[in-house]
């Protein structure tokens, strides 16, 4: 069973601060996705990273996939109250297998950005 | 937004009763999934389907069964509900498995069913 350890579980910061969320595993993933979830709704995809060492930017959010494809990070610059939510990383099975699109999710990070 | 409807949105039931949750999609996607979400555990896969009448177990399948008789509908049944099955249940759909260049296609989630077993 592949596991994803996400940290920290809770993050409470002031508007304008920077933050990083980490997602780590001992397993290799063929790709990794980051989702954001708001109360009462399902998660929504932010980004997919596929190549080891890949960096993707989405406005103030920067996503990185580790060189060995075992870990990933999400960095938010100058956080805003609108960034508040639950952030989830999710890994897809290692290359070569038939995964049927299944994902393994981390435990999630609850981010609160105070005005 | 992907056309995914979960019903009911909220349900309270008693221990020992059977419960069926429904997921309906209008996207004609091949893959459908049932996840449960609990604090500290993220989302855990219960069952999934890779086509009509093609289903398989996920990591937390004990006490649950599923059926998919049509592309658009995926039912999750709690055969005899227990308090440990109190959770928020999410249905998700996916268009395709990923390739080596693009990764898995994203999961599109419904808005969840909050189930309380008393």
């Amino acid at each position: 069973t592949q596991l994803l350890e996400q940290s920290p579980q809770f993050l409470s910061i002031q508007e304008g601060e920077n933050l990083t969320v980490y997602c780590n595993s001992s397993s290799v993933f063929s790709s990794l996705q980051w989702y954001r979830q708001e109360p009462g709704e399902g998660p929504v995809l932010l980004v997919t990273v596929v190549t080891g060492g890949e960096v993707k930017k989405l406005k103030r959010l920067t996503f990185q996939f580790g060189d060995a494809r075992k870990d990933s990070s999400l960095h938010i610059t100058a956080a805003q109250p609108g960034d508040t939510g639950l952030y989830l990383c999710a890994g897809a099975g290692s290359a070569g297998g038939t995964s049927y699109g299944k994902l393994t999710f981390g435990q999630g990070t609850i981010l609160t950005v105070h005005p | 937004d992907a056309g995914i409807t979960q019903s009911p949105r909220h349900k309270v039931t008693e221990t020992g009763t059977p419960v069926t949750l429904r997921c309906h999609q209008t996207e004609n996607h091949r893959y459908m999934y049932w996840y449960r979400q609990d604090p500290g555990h993220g989302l855990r896969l219960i069952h999934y389907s890779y086509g009509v009448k093609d289903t398989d177990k996920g990591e937390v399948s004990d006490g649950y069964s599923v059926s998919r008789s049509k592309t658009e509908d995926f039912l999750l049944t709690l055969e005899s509900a227990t308090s440990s099955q109190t959770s928020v249940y999410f249905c998700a759909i996916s268009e395709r498995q990923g390739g080596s260049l693009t990764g898995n296609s994203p999961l599109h989630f419904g808005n969840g069913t909050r189930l309380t077993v008393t």
Side-chain angles (χ1 to χ4, degrees):
Chain A
T1 302
Q2 296 176 308
L3 295 175
L4 271 171
E5 295 290 332
Q6 195 172 334
S7 63
Q9 282 196 48
F10 303 93
L11 205 47
S12 180
I13 62 172
Q14 294 296 127
E15 182 175 2
E17 292 182 3
N18 300 332
L19 66 111
T20 302
V21 178
Y22 299 94
C23 190
N24 296 296
S25 176
S26 58
S27 303
V28 175
F29 291 97
S30 61
S31 64
L32 198 134
Q33 298 177 350
W34 285 90
Y35 290 80
R36 179 167 175 262
Q37 184 180 13
E38 301 204 23
E41 300 180 3
V44 176
L45 180 74
L46 293 173
V47 77
T48 299
V49 285
V50 181
T51 306
E54 183 176 3
V55 177
K56 281 192 174 179
K57 292 191 175 183
L58 189 65
K59 296 183 181 179
R60 294 176 292 100
L61 280 60
T62 301
F63 304 86
Q64 186 163 5
F65 201 13
D67 291 341
R69 290 185 290 138
K70 292 182 178 181
D71 56 88
S72 182
S73 64
L74 157 61
H75 182 80
I76 301 179
T77 304
Q80 299 177 0
D83 295 326
T84 293
L86 173 65
Y87 290 83
L88 294 155
C89 62
S94 56
T98 301
S99 67
Y100 297 111
K102 294 179 293 180
L103 296 179
T104 298
F105 282 83
Q107 304 97 318
T109 296
I110 297 174
L111 172 64
T112 304
V113 182
H114 302 280
Chain B
D1 290 344
I4 308 168
T5 304
Q6 289 188 235
S7 58
R9 288 297 311 276
H10 302 271
K11 186 169 182 66
V12 180
T13 192
E14 293 183 347
T15 298
T17 60
V19 177
T20 296
L21 308 182
R22 181 180 184 239
C23 178
H24 178 78
Q25 61 145 329
T26 58
E27 305 297 317
N28 202 36
H29 283 358
R30 177 181 176 186
Y31 302 99
M32 299 186 75
Y33 313 85
W34 277 107
Y35 284 88
R36 60 178 288 175
Q37 185 172 39
D38 304 287
H41 291 278
L43 288 154
R44 292 181 291 174
L45 182 65
I46 305 170
H47 280 280
Y48 64 98
S49 171
Y50 45 96
V52 173
K53 297 186 179 179
D54 291 323
T55 65
D56 205 349
K57 298 178 180 180
E59 62 179 298
V60 290
S61 60
D62 287 349
Y64 302 95
S65 62
V66 290
S67 67
R68 192 169 177 200
S69 58
K70 298 184 290 185
T71 299
E72 57 265 36
D73 289 326
F74 194 31
L75 304 180
L76 176 71
T77 297
L78 287 65
E79 294 141 9
S80 177
T82 67
S83 58
S84 66
Q85 294 175 311
T86 292
S87 186
V88 181
Y89 291 84
F90 284 97
C91 173
I93 64 175
S94 176
E95 185 175 12
R96 59 172 174 80
Q97 292 192 84
S100 59
L101 296 179
T102 58
N104 279 27
S105 61
L107 296 188
H108 299 282
F109 287 86
N111 284 331
T113 294
R114 183 173 293 276
L115 177 67
T116 302
V117 184
T118 60

